[in-house]
Amino acid sequence: MSRTRSRLLLGALVLAAVIGTATSAVALSRTLSPPDRAARAGWVPSGVADPVGSPTGTPAGPSSRPGQTGTPTPDGSGGTGPGPSRAVAPGPTGTSAPGPGVPGATRAGTRPPVVDHGPRTGNRVALTFDADMTDSMLYNLRTGRVKSYANLRILDLLEREELPATFFLTGKWVERYPDLTRRLAENPRFELANHTYGHLAFTGNCYDLPRVATTGMTEDVAKTFRLIEPYGGRQTRYFRFPGLCHDGAALAALAPLGLTVVDGDVVSGDPFATSWQPIVRAVLDQVHPGSVVIMHVTEANAEMTDEALPHILAGLRQRGLVPAPLSEVLAAA
């Protein structure tokens, strides 16, 4: 699969989130990833409510996918937020300065490096999951058009199998799902990374995403680091642009933050896939030692990821490849 087509597959999620309609999402999925109708026929959509969708802050009731609780606020956030915050040193533009030894930390003021994968030696690969959240997605949750953008089955599987993973979190996803963010932070095998505050584009012509102003780019990413930091756990200074769209101006804007940009070399194509087989094929056809696999934990926009993941893990085992934290995969890069 060409890198151009891989980025188009990733863009399906981005574009459909902007459009905000199920009809457009289905159309995109049929264009970029033809459905396997036989496999889809046996799949039963989840009837679970959004993990923080209970307006009273009480559990939503019995469900096959247990969720978290919390009270949505007018801006789409929910729950009680992180636990006690830890002190952080003020850094450029009001962000916290990365501590010594934080994975992905670079010297503030220098153009951040951009990496696709780690060394092509050994047998380790990184499983990464983007947690997107846009204003359109928040609107879908508030109006009941969408039940959840948090795929708990993915977390359950990773925890049950004791597998490491790295989660690229948008600030608005963290605000919407504070209990789930805490769950990620409390797992010593999970790393937390930055995916902007509201999934806005940092370049023009990025899958029709609304664009953040150049003057606001630094603070957008800094704000997200500040939101993630109080949760503790395995913090990183890794960052991923929405749609993998970036240019020299975007990289220059992030120079004060001392971070590493992580694109990835294996795009799963999970956004709006209607069967799990194409996702599995996309990953296993591209994966190599040192690969960084891009998937999504945003359930309504990537419903089949949890179906594909067990097959992806089995395929990795057959190839002698072992999931590892992103920081370990990139350590020798």
Side-chain angles (χ1 to χ4, degrees), residues 244-326:
L244 306 184
C245 301
H246 50 81
D247 56 17
L251 293 174
L254 302 189
L257 303 182
L259 54 79
T260 295
V261 174
V262 179
D263 281 351
D265 64 322
V266 179
V267 178
S268 68
D270 60 346
F272 297 103
T274 54
S275 66
W276 55 264
Q277 287 91 337
I279 303 172
V280 176
R281 286 195 298 269
V283 172
L284 298 183
D285 285 351
Q286 300 174 78
V287 72
H288 299 284
S291 280
V292 176
V293 182
I294 304 174
M295 293 179 281
H296 293 80
V297 73
T298 43
E299 180 177 15
N301 286 356
E303 292 181 315
M304 303 307 298
T305 309
D306 59 63
E307 302 284 346
L309 188 55
H311 303 279
I312 291 172
L313 295 173
L316 294 178
R317 285 193 294 269
Q318 291 175 357
R319 290 160 171 76
L321 298 174
V322 178
L326 179 62

Side-chain angles (χ1 to χ4, degrees), residues 27-106:
L28 281 168
S29 68
R30 288 175 178 171
T31 300
L32 297 176
S33 181
D36 184 331
R37 296 185 182 275
R40 180 65 172 173
W43 181 74
V44 180
S46 168
V48 143
D50 183 51
V52 294
S54 172
T56 62
T58 57
S63 167
S64 60
R65 295 191 185 193
Q68 309 297 317
T69 62
T71 303
T73 60
D75 66 355
S77 63
T80 57
S85 61
R86 57 185 176 83
V88 290
T93 68
T95 186
S96 60
V102 175
T106 58

